[in-house]
Amino acid sequence: MSKRILPLAAMEKILKTCGAKRVSDKAKTALKEVLEDIAEDIATSAIRFAMHAGRKTVKAKDIKLAAK
């Protein structure tokens, strides 16, 4: 999956919520890339769990299980 969807503004908000006073553009981009990679891995696993259960619908429990 090559299309990236998380906005940089959200990355800045996350970093500032965690205590950062200032955030560089490179830091926002780096966090965005890492989170999107992790999210893609979790989503792929969650889809496999749903398919294994015989469902087409991915449910919250699939996401939670995949995130472990």
Side-chain angles (χ1 to χ4, degrees):
M1 181 181 276
S2 61
K3 182 165 171 46
R4 301 303 183 167
I5 58 173
L6 295 176
L8 289 177
M11 302 304 104
E12 182 172 11
K13 187 172 184 177
I14 290 169
L15 289 162
K16 286 195 172 187
T17 300
C18 291
K21 300 287 184 203
R22 295 174 59 192
V23 181
S24 73
D25 288 341
K26 286 185 179 182
K28 289 184 263 187
T29 302
L31 181 59
K32 177 181 186 284
E33 290 171 359
V34 169
L35 290 179
E36 286 174 337
D37 288 342
I38 293 169
E40 189 174 326
D41 291 343
I42 291 171
T44 301
S45 293
I47 292 165
R48 272 193 254 120
F49 289 133
M51 290 175 62
H52 180 73
R55 291 183 274 108
K56 292 181 181 179
T57 303
V58 177
K59 296 187 176 188
K61 64 183 179 182
D62 299 321
I63 300 292
K64 291 176 183 178
L65 186 60
K68 288 187 179 184

Short mmCIF file of all heavy atoms in Angstrom, two decimals:
data_model
loop_
_atom_site.label_atom_id
_atom_site.label_comp_id
_atom_site.label_asym_id
_atom_site.label_seq_id
_atom_site.Cartn_x
_atom_site.Cartn_y
_atom_site.Cartn_z
N MET A 1 0.86 -1.18 0.00
CA MET A 1 0.00 0.00 0.00
C MET A 1 0.90 1.24 0.00
O MET A 1 1.66 1.47 0.92
CB MET A 1 -0.88 -0.03 1.25
CG MET A 1 -1.83 1.14 1.35
SD MET A 1 -2.82 1.07 2.83
CE MET A 1 -4.12 0.00 2.28
N SER A 2 0.82 2.05 -1.03
CA SER A 2 1.72 3.18 -1.14
C SER A 2 1.07 4.50 -0.73
O SER A 2 1.76 5.45 -0.42
CB SER A 2 2.23 3.29 -2.58
OG SER A 2 1.13 3.50 -3.45
N LYS A 3 -0.27 4.58 -0.74
CA LYS A 3 -0.93 5.83 -0.39
C LYS A 3 -0.89 6.03 1.12
O LYS A 3 -1.30 5.18 1.88
CB LYS A 3 -2.38 5.83 -0.88
CG LYS A 3 -3.11 7.12 -0.60
CD LYS A 3 -4.36 7.19 -1.42
CE LYS A 3 -5.25 8.33 -1.05
NZ LYS A 3 -4.69 9.61 -0.89
N ARG A 4 -0.39 7.18 1.52
CA ARG A 4 -0.30 7.51 2.95
C ARG A 4 -1.40 8.48 3.29
O ARG A 4 -1.68 9.42 2.55
CB ARG A 4 1.07 8.10 3.28
CG ARG A 4 2.22 7.16 2.95
CD ARG A 4 2.05 5.85 3.67
NE ARG A 4 3.20 4.99 3.41
CZ ARG A 4 3.44 3.90 4.11
NH1 ARG A 4 2.64 3.51 5.04
NH2 ARG A 4 4.49 3.17 3.83
N ILE A 5 -2.05 8.28 4.45
CA ILE A 5 -3.25 9.05 4.73
C ILE A 5 -3.24 9.86 6.02
O ILE A 5 -4.08 10.73 6.18
CB ILE A 5 -4.49 8.13 4.73
CG1 ILE A 5 -4.33 7.03 5.75
CG2 ILE A 5 -4.73 7.58 3.35
CD1 ILE A 5 -5.57 6.19 5.94
N LEU A 6 -2.34 9.59 6.94
CA LEU A 6 -2.34 10.33 8.20
C LEU A 6 -1.82 11.76 7.98
O LEU A 6 -0.76 11.95 7.38
CB LEU A 6 -1.48 9.63 9.25
CG LEU A 6 -1.97 8.27 9.72
CD1 LEU A 6 -0.96 7.64 10.68
CD2 LEU A 6 -3.32 8.38 10.37
N PRO A 7 -2.53 12.76 8.48
CA PRO A 7 -2.09 14.14 8.28
C PRO A 7 -0.94 14.52 9.21
O PRO A 7 -0.86 14.06 10.35
CB PRO A 7 -3.34 14.96 8.60
CG PRO A 7 -4.15 14.09 9.50
CD PRO A 7 -3.84 12.67 9.10
N LEU A 8 -0.06 15.38 8.72
CA LEU A 8 1.08 15.84 9.52
C LEU A 8 0.62 16.62 10.75
O LEU A 8 1.27 16.57 11.80
CB LEU A 8 2.03 16.69 8.68
CG LEU A 8 2.82 15.93 7.62
CD1 LEU A 8 3.67 16.89 6.79
CD2 LEU A 8 3.70 14.87 8.25
N ALA A 9 -0.49 17.33 10.63
CA ALA A 9 -1.00 18.09 11.77
C ALA A 9 -1.32 17.17 12.95
O ALA A 9 -1.10 17.54 14.11
CB ALA A 9 -2.24 18.88 11.36
N ALA A 10 -1.82 15.99 12.65
CA ALA A 10 -2.12 15.02 13.72
C ALA A 10 -0.84 14.55 14.40
O ALA A 10 -0.81 14.33 15.62
CB ALA A 10 -2.88 13.84 13.16
N MET A 11 0.24 14.42 13.64
CA MET A 11 1.52 14.00 14.21
C MET A 11 2.04 15.07 15.18
O MET A 11 2.52 14.76 16.26
CB MET A 11 2.56 13.75 13.11
CG MET A 11 2.16 12.71 12.08
SD MET A 11 1.73 11.11 12.75
CE MET A 11 -0.03 11.15 12.63
N GLU A 12 1.91 16.32 14.76
CA GLU A 12 2.34 17.41 15.62
C GLU A 12 1.52 17.44 16.91
O GLU A 12 2.04 17.62 18.01
CB GLU A 12 2.23 18.75 14.90
CG GLU A 12 2.71 19.92 15.73
CD GLU A 12 2.77 21.22 14.96
OE1 GLU A 12 2.24 21.29 13.83
OE2 GLU A 12 3.36 22.17 15.48
N LYS A 13 0.23 17.22 16.78
CA LYS A 13 -0.65 17.23 17.94
C LYS A 13 -0.28 16.10 18.91
O LYS A 13 -0.25 16.31 20.13
CB LYS A 13 -2.11 17.08 17.50
CG LYS A 13 -3.10 17.25 18.60
CD LYS A 13 -4.52 17.28 18.06
CE LYS A 13 -5.51 17.55 19.17
NZ LYS A 13 -6.87 17.67 18.68
N ILE A 14 0.01 14.93 18.39
CA ILE A 14 0.43 13.81 19.24
C ILE A 14 1.71 14.15 19.99
O ILE A 14 1.80 13.96 21.21
CB ILE A 14 0.63 12.53 18.40
CG1 ILE A 14 -0.72 12.01 17.89
CG2 ILE A 14 1.36 11.45 19.20
CD1 ILE A 14 -0.61 10.92 16.84
N LEU A 15 2.70 14.68 19.28
CA LEU A 15 3.97 15.01 19.90
C LEU A 15 3.83 16.11 20.95
O LEU A 15 4.42 16.03 22.03
CB LEU A 15 4.99 15.40 18.83
CG LEU A 15 5.48 14.23 17.97
CD1 LEU A 15 6.12 14.73 16.69
CD2 LEU A 15 6.45 13.37 18.75
N LYS A 16 3.02 17.10 20.65
CA LYS A 16 2.81 18.19 21.61
C LYS A 16 2.02 17.71 22.82
O LYS A 16 2.29 18.13 23.95
CB LYS A 16 2.15 19.38 20.94
CG LYS A 16 3.12 20.14 20.04
CD LYS A 16 2.61 21.48 19.66
CE LYS A 16 3.72 22.25 18.94
NZ LYS A 16 3.35 23.63 18.69
N THR A 17 1.07 16.82 22.61
CA THR A 17 0.31 16.26 23.72
C THR A 17 1.23 15.49 24.66
O THR A 17 1.01 15.46 25.87
CB THR A 17 -0.81 15.33 23.20
OG1 THR A 17 -1.68 16.11 22.37
CG2 THR A 17 -1.60 14.72 24.32
N CYS A 18 2.25 14.89 24.10
CA CYS A 18 3.21 14.13 24.90
C CYS A 18 4.28 15.00 25.53
O CYS A 18 5.16 14.49 26.23
CB CYS A 18 3.85 13.05 24.03
SG CYS A 18 2.69 11.77 23.57
N GLY A 19 4.24 16.31 25.27
CA GLY A 19 5.15 17.21 25.97
C GLY A 19 6.15 17.98 25.13
O GLY A 19 6.92 18.76 25.68
N ALA A 20 6.16 17.77 23.83
CA ALA A 20 7.11 18.50 22.98
C ALA A 20 6.73 19.97 22.91
O ALA A 20 5.56 20.31 22.76
CB ALA A 20 7.14 17.91 21.58
N LYS A 21 7.71 20.85 23.05
CA LYS A 21 7.46 22.29 22.94
C LYS A 21 7.37 22.69 21.47
O LYS A 21 6.51 23.48 21.09
CB LYS A 21 8.58 23.08 23.62
CG LYS A 21 8.74 22.79 25.08
CD LYS A 21 7.62 23.39 25.89
CE LYS A 21 7.90 23.13 27.36
NZ LYS A 21 6.74 23.15 28.17
N ARG A 22 8.31 22.17 20.69
CA ARG A 22 8.35 22.46 19.25
C ARG A 22 8.59 21.15 18.52
O ARG A 22 9.23 20.25 19.04
CB ARG A 22 9.48 23.45 18.93
CG ARG A 22 9.26 24.82 19.56
CD ARG A 22 10.43 25.74 19.38
NE ARG A 22 10.70 25.94 17.97
CZ ARG A 22 11.82 26.50 17.50
NH1 ARG A 22 12.76 26.91 18.32
NH2 ARG A 22 11.99 26.64 16.21
N VAL A 23 8.11 21.09 17.27
CA VAL A 23 8.23 19.86 16.48
C VAL A 23 8.68 20.22 15.08
O VAL A 23 8.05 21.05 14.41
CB VAL A 23 6.87 19.11 16.41
CG1 VAL A 23 7.00 17.84 15.61
CG2 VAL A 23 6.34 18.82 17.81
N SER A 24 9.76 19.60 14.63
CA SER A 24 10.25 19.87 13.27
C SER A 24 9.41 19.13 12.25
O SER A 24 8.74 18.14 12.56
CB SER A 24 11.72 19.44 13.14
OG SER A 24 11.81 18.03 13.11
N ASP A 25 9.46 19.62 11.02
CA ASP A 25 8.74 18.95 9.93
C ASP A 25 9.25 17.53 9.71
O ASP A 25 8.49 16.61 9.42
CB ASP A 25 8.86 19.75 8.63
CG ASP A 25 8.04 21.03 8.65
OD1 ASP A 25 7.11 21.13 9.49
OD2 ASP A 25 8.31 21.93 7.84
N LYS A 26 10.57 17.35 9.86
CA LYS A 26 11.15 16.01 9.69
C LYS A 26 10.67 15.06 10.77
O LYS A 26 10.45 13.88 10.51
CB LYS A 26 12.67 16.08 9.67
CG LYS A 26 13.23 16.66 8.39
CD LYS A 26 14.74 16.60 8.36
CE LYS A 26 15.27 17.18 7.05
NZ LYS A 26 16.73 17.09 6.98
N ALA A 27 10.49 15.56 11.99
CA ALA A 27 10.00 14.72 13.09
C ALA A 27 8.56 14.30 12.81
O ALA A 27 8.18 13.15 13.04
CB ALA A 27 10.09 15.46 14.42
N LYS A 28 7.74 15.23 12.32
CA LYS A 28 6.34 14.91 12.00
C LYS A 28 6.29 13.85 10.91
O LYS A 28 5.52 12.89 11.00
CB LYS A 28 5.59 16.16 11.54
CG LYS A 28 5.30 17.14 12.64
CD LYS A 28 4.47 18.29 12.14
CE LYS A 28 5.35 19.46 11.81
NZ LYS A 28 4.59 20.68 11.47
N THR A 29 7.11 14.01 9.89
CA THR A 29 7.14 13.06 8.78
C THR A 29 7.62 11.69 9.23
O THR A 29 7.06 10.67 8.84
CB THR A 29 8.04 13.60 7.64
OG1 THR A 29 7.53 14.86 7.22
CG2 THR A 29 8.07 12.64 6.47
N ALA A 30 8.65 11.67 10.09
CA ALA A 30 9.17 10.40 10.58
C ALA A 30 8.13 9.66 11.41
O ALA A 30 7.93 8.44 11.23
CB ALA A 30 10.44 10.64 11.41
N LEU A 31 7.44 10.37 12.30
CA LEU A 31 6.40 9.74 13.12
C LEU A 31 5.27 9.22 12.24
O LEU A 31 4.78 8.10 12.42
CB LEU A 31 5.86 10.72 14.16
CG LEU A 31 4.78 10.16 15.09
CD1 LEU A 31 5.29 8.96 15.87
CD2 LEU A 31 4.27 11.25 16.02
N LYS A 32 4.90 10.00 11.25
CA LYS A 32 3.84 9.62 10.30
C LYS A 32 4.19 8.31 9.59
O LYS A 32 3.38 7.39 9.52
CB LYS A 32 3.65 10.75 9.29
CG LYS A 32 2.64 10.48 8.20
CD LYS A 32 2.60 11.70 7.27
CE LYS A 32 1.56 11.65 6.22
NZ LYS A 32 1.82 10.80 5.12
N GLU A 33 5.41 8.21 9.09
CA GLU A 33 5.84 7.02 8.37
C GLU A 33 5.84 5.79 9.27
O GLU A 33 5.37 4.71 8.88
CB GLU A 33 7.22 7.23 7.76
CG GLU A 33 7.22 8.22 6.61
CD GLU A 33 8.62 8.60 6.15
OE1 GLU A 33 9.62 8.11 6.73
OE2 GLU A 33 8.71 9.40 5.20
N VAL A 34 6.35 5.95 10.49
CA VAL A 34 6.41 4.83 11.43
C VAL A 34 5.01 4.37 11.81
O VAL A 34 4.71 3.16 11.79
CB VAL A 34 7.22 5.21 12.69
CG1 VAL A 34 7.07 4.17 13.78
CG2 VAL A 34 8.68 5.41 12.35
N LEU A 35 4.13 5.31 12.14
CA LEU A 35 2.77 4.94 12.53
C LEU A 35 1.99 4.30 11.39
O LEU A 35 1.24 3.35 11.60
CB LEU A 35 2.01 6.17 13.06
CG LEU A 35 2.49 6.71 14.40
CD1 LEU A 35 1.67 7.94 14.79
CD2 LEU A 35 2.42 5.65 15.48
N GLU A 36 2.19 4.80 10.18
CA GLU A 36 1.49 4.22 9.03
C GLU A 36 1.99 2.80 8.75
O GLU A 36 1.19 1.92 8.41
CB GLU A 36 1.65 5.10 7.80
CG GLU A 36 0.80 6.35 7.90
CD GLU A 36 1.02 7.34 6.78
OE1 GLU A 36 2.10 7.32 6.15
OE2 GLU A 36 0.12 8.13 6.54
N ASP A 37 3.28 2.56 8.93
CA ASP A 37 3.81 1.21 8.74
C ASP A 37 3.23 0.25 9.78
O ASP A 37 2.83 -0.87 9.45
CB ASP A 37 5.34 1.20 8.82
CG ASP A 37 6.00 1.82 7.60
OD1 ASP A 37 5.32 1.95 6.55
OD2 ASP A 37 7.18 2.19 7.69
N ILE A 38 3.19 0.70 11.04
CA ILE A 38 2.64 -0.12 12.10
C ILE A 38 1.15 -0.38 11.85
O ILE A 38 0.67 -1.51 11.99
CB ILE A 38 2.86 0.54 13.48
CG1 ILE A 38 4.36 0.55 13.81
CG2 ILE A 38 2.06 -0.17 14.57
CD1 ILE A 38 4.73 1.40 15.01
N ALA A 39 0.42 0.66 11.47
CA ALA A 39 -1.01 0.53 11.21
C ALA A 39 -1.27 -0.44 10.05
O ALA A 39 -2.22 -1.25 10.11
CB ALA A 39 -1.63 1.89 10.90
N GLU A 40 -0.44 -0.39 9.04
CA GLU A 40 -0.61 -1.30 7.90
C GLU A 40 -0.38 -2.75 8.32
O GLU A 40 -1.13 -3.65 7.92
CB GLU A 40 0.36 -0.92 6.78
CG GLU A 40 0.11 -1.67 5.49
CD GLU A 40 0.98 -1.17 4.35
OE1 GLU A 40 1.27 0.03 4.28
OE2 GLU A 40 1.34 -2.01 3.51
N ASP A 41 0.62 -2.99 9.16
CA ASP A 41 0.88 -4.35 9.66
C ASP A 41 -0.29 -4.86 10.50
O ASP A 41 -0.71 -6.01 10.35
CB ASP A 41 2.17 -4.38 10.49
CG ASP A 41 3.42 -4.15 9.66
OD1 ASP A 41 3.35 -4.29 8.41
OD2 ASP A 41 4.46 -3.80 10.25
N ILE A 42 -0.81 -4.00 11.37
CA ILE A 42 -1.94 -4.39 12.21
C ILE A 42 -3.17 -4.67 11.35
O ILE A 42 -3.88 -5.66 11.56
CB ILE A 42 -2.24 -3.31 13.27
CG1 ILE A 42 -1.09 -3.27 14.30
CG2 ILE A 42 -3.58 -3.56 13.96
CD1 ILE A 42 -1.17 -2.11 15.27
N ALA A 43 -3.43 -3.81 10.38
CA ALA A 43 -4.60 -3.99 9.52
C ALA A 43 -4.50 -5.30 8.73
O ALA A 43 -5.50 -6.04 8.62
CB ALA A 43 -4.73 -2.81 8.57
N THR A 44 -3.34 -5.60 8.21
CA THR A 44 -3.14 -6.84 7.46
C THR A 44 -3.41 -8.05 8.33
O THR A 44 -4.10 -8.99 7.92
CB THR A 44 -1.71 -6.89 6.89
OG1 THR A 44 -1.51 -5.76 6.04
CG2 THR A 44 -1.47 -8.16 6.09
N SER A 45 -2.89 -8.03 9.56
CA SER A 45 -3.12 -9.14 10.48
C SER A 45 -4.59 -9.24 10.86
O SER A 45 -5.15 -10.34 10.94
CB SER A 45 -2.27 -8.97 11.74
OG SER A 45 -0.91 -9.08 11.45
N ALA A 46 -5.22 -8.11 11.11
CA ALA A 46 -6.64 -8.10 11.48
C ALA A 46 -7.50 -8.68 10.37
O ALA A 46 -8.46 -9.42 10.62
CB ALA A 46 -7.08 -6.68 11.83
N ILE A 47 -7.18 -8.36 9.14
CA ILE A 47 -7.92 -8.91 7.99
C ILE A 47 -7.77 -10.43 7.95
O ILE A 47 -8.74 -11.15 7.71
CB ILE A 47 -7.45 -8.25 6.68
CG1 ILE A 47 -7.88 -6.78 6.65
CG2 ILE A 47 -7.98 -9.00 5.47
CD1 ILE A 47 -7.18 -5.95 5.59
N ARG A 48 -6.56 -10.91 8.21
CA ARG A 48 -6.34 -12.36 8.24
C ARG A 48 -7.17 -13.02 9.34
O ARG A 48 -7.75 -14.10 9.12
CB ARG A 48 -4.86 -12.68 8.43
CG ARG A 48 -4.11 -12.74 7.11
CD ARG A 48 -2.74 -13.36 7.27
NE ARG A 48 -1.78 -12.26 7.17
CZ ARG A 48 -0.92 -11.91 8.10
NH1 ARG A 48 -0.83 -12.57 9.23
NH2 ARG A 48 -0.11 -10.89 7.93
N PHE A 49 -7.24 -12.39 10.52
CA PHE A 49 -8.05 -12.94 11.62
C PHE A 49 -9.52 -13.00 11.23
O PHE A 49 -10.21 -13.98 11.52
CB PHE A 49 -7.87 -12.13 12.90
CG PHE A 49 -6.52 -12.30 13.56
CD1 PHE A 49 -5.81 -11.20 13.99
CD2 PHE A 49 -5.98 -13.56 13.76
CE1 PHE A 49 -4.57 -11.35 14.60
CE2 PHE A 49 -4.74 -13.72 14.37
CZ PHE A 49 -4.03 -12.61 14.79
N ALA A 50 -10.02 -11.96 10.60
CA ALA A 50 -11.43 -11.93 10.19
C ALA A 50 -11.70 -13.02 9.15
O ALA A 50 -12.71 -13.73 9.24
CB ALA A 50 -11.79 -10.56 9.62
N MET A 51 -10.81 -13.15 8.18
CA MET A 51 -10.98 -14.17 7.15
C MET A 51 -10.94 -15.57 7.75
O MET A 51 -11.71 -16.45 7.38
CB MET A 51 -9.92 -14.01 6.06
CG MET A 51 -10.12 -12.78 5.21
SD MET A 51 -8.79 -12.51 4.02
CE MET A 51 -8.90 -13.96 3.02
N HIS A 52 -10.02 -15.78 8.70
CA HIS A 52 -9.90 -17.07 9.37
C HIS A 52 -11.19 -17.42 10.12
O HIS A 52 -11.57 -18.59 10.20
CB HIS A 52 -8.71 -17.07 10.33
CG HIS A 52 -8.53 -18.37 11.06
ND1 HIS A 52 -8.04 -19.49 10.44
CD2 HIS A 52 -8.77 -18.72 12.34
CE1 HIS A 52 -8.01 -20.48 11.32
NE2 HIS A 52 -8.44 -20.03 12.48
N ALA A 53 -11.85 -16.39 10.66
CA ALA A 53 -13.11 -16.60 11.38
C ALA A 53 -14.30 -16.73 10.42
O ALA A 53 -15.44 -16.86 10.86
CB ALA A 53 -13.34 -15.45 12.35
N GLY A 54 -14.03 -16.63 9.12
CA GLY A 54 -15.10 -16.78 8.13
C GLY A 54 -15.92 -15.51 7.94
O GLY A 54 -17.06 -15.58 7.48
N ARG A 55 -15.33 -14.36 8.29
CA ARG A 55 -16.04 -13.09 8.14
C ARG A 55 -15.38 -12.22 7.09
O ARG A 55 -14.18 -12.32 6.87
CB ARG A 55 -16.01 -12.31 9.47
CG ARG A 55 -16.83 -12.93 10.56
CD ARG A 55 -16.83 -12.07 11.83
NE ARG A 55 -15.67 -12.40 12.66
CZ ARG A 55 -14.61 -11.62 12.82
NH1 ARG A 55 -14.53 -10.45 12.27
NH2 ARG A 55 -13.61 -12.01 13.58
N LYS A 56 -16.19 -11.36 6.46
CA LYS A 56 -15.67 -10.35 5.56
C LYS A 56 -15.44 -9.04 6.31
O LYS A 56 -14.68 -8.19 5.86
CB LYS A 56 -16.64 -10.10 4.41
CG LYS A 56 -16.78 -11.26 3.45
CD LYS A 56 -17.74 -10.92 2.34
CE LYS A 56 -17.91 -12.09 1.39
NZ LYS A 56 -18.86 -11.77 0.32
N THR A 57 -16.12 -8.90 7.44
CA THR A 57 -16.05 -7.67 8.22
C THR A 57 -14.94 -7.77 9.27
O THR A 57 -14.91 -8.71 10.06
CB THR A 57 -17.39 -7.43 8.95
OG1 THR A 57 -18.42 -7.38 7.96
CG2 THR A 57 -17.37 -6.14 9.73
N VAL A 58 -14.07 -6.78 9.27
CA VAL A 58 -13.04 -6.69 10.31
C VAL A 58 -13.67 -6.01 11.51
O VAL A 58 -14.26 -4.94 11.40
CB VAL A 58 -11.82 -5.88 9.82
CG1 VAL A 58 -10.80 -5.72 10.92
CG2 VAL A 58 -11.20 -6.53 8.59
N LYS A 59 -13.55 -6.64 12.67
CA LYS A 59 -14.15 -6.11 13.88
C LYS A 59 -13.06 -5.59 14.82
O LYS A 59 -11.87 -5.88 14.64
CB LYS A 59 -14.97 -7.19 14.57
CG LYS A 59 -16.16 -7.65 13.74
CD LYS A 59 -17.04 -8.59 14.50
CE LYS A 59 -18.26 -8.93 13.65
NZ LYS A 59 -19.24 -9.68 14.41
N ALA A 60 -13.50 -4.85 15.84
CA ALA A 60 -12.58 -4.27 16.81
C ALA A 60 -11.72 -5.35 17.47
O ALA A 60 -10.53 -5.14 17.71
CB ALA A 60 -13.35 -3.48 17.85
N LYS A 61 -12.32 -6.52 17.73
CA LYS A 61 -11.57 -7.58 18.38
C LYS A 61 -10.43 -8.08 17.48
O LYS A 61 -9.39 -8.50 17.99
CB LYS A 61 -12.48 -8.73 18.81
CG LYS A 61 -13.17 -9.47 17.70
CD LYS A 61 -14.12 -10.53 18.25
CE LYS A 61 -14.83 -11.25 17.14
NZ LYS A 61 -15.77 -12.24 17.67
N ASP A 62 -10.61 -8.03 16.17
CA ASP A 62 -9.54 -8.42 15.24
C ASP A 62 -8.39 -7.44 15.34
O ASP A 62 -7.22 -7.84 15.36
CB ASP A 62 -10.07 -8.45 13.80
CG ASP A 62 -11.19 -9.44 13.60
OD1 ASP A 62 -11.13 -10.54 14.18
OD2 ASP A 62 -12.14 -9.11 12.85
N ILE A 63 -8.71 -6.16 15.40
CA ILE A 63 -7.69 -5.12 15.51
C ILE A 63 -6.92 -5.28 16.82
O ILE A 63 -5.68 -5.25 16.85
CB ILE A 63 -8.31 -3.71 15.44
CG1 ILE A 63 -9.05 -3.49 14.12
CG2 ILE A 63 -7.27 -2.63 15.69
CD1 ILE A 63 -8.16 -3.43 12.90
N LYS A 64 -7.65 -5.47 17.90
CA LYS A 64 -7.01 -5.62 19.22
C LYS A 64 -6.13 -6.86 19.27
O LYS A 64 -5.02 -6.81 19.82
CB LYS A 64 -8.06 -5.66 20.33
CG LYS A 64 -8.75 -4.33 20.51
CD LYS A 64 -9.85 -4.39 21.55
CE LYS A 64 -10.56 -3.05 21.65
NZ LYS A 64 -11.66 -3.10 22.61
N LEU A 65 -6.59 -7.94 18.70
CA LEU A 65 -5.79 -9.17 18.66
C LEU A 65 -4.54 -8.98 17.80
O LEU A 65 -3.46 -9.41 18.18
CB LEU A 65 -6.65 -10.32 18.13
CG LEU A 65 -6.04 -11.71 18.15
CD1 LEU A 65 -5.68 -12.13 19.57
CD2 LEU A 65 -7.00 -12.72 17.55
N ALA A 66 -4.70 -8.32 16.69
CA ALA A 66 -3.56 -8.09 15.79
C ALA A 66 -2.54 -7.14 16.39
O ALA A 66 -1.35 -7.24 16.09
CB ALA A 66 -4.07 -7.52 14.46
N ALA A 67 -2.97 -6.26 17.25
CA ALA A 67 -2.06 -5.27 17.85
C ALA A 67 -1.20 -5.89 18.96
O ALA A 67 -0.18 -5.31 19.35
CB ALA A 67 -2.85 -4.09 18.41
N LYS A 68 -1.59 -7.05 19.45
CA LYS A 68 -0.81 -7.71 20.53
C LYS A 68 0.48 -8.26 20.02
O LYS A 68 0.68 -8.61 18.93
CB LYS A 68 -1.63 -8.81 21.17
CG LYS A 68 -2.74 -8.29 22.03
CD LYS A 68 -3.40 -9.42 22.76
CE LYS A 68 -4.51 -8.87 23.64
NZ LYS A 68 -5.13 -9.88 24.45
#
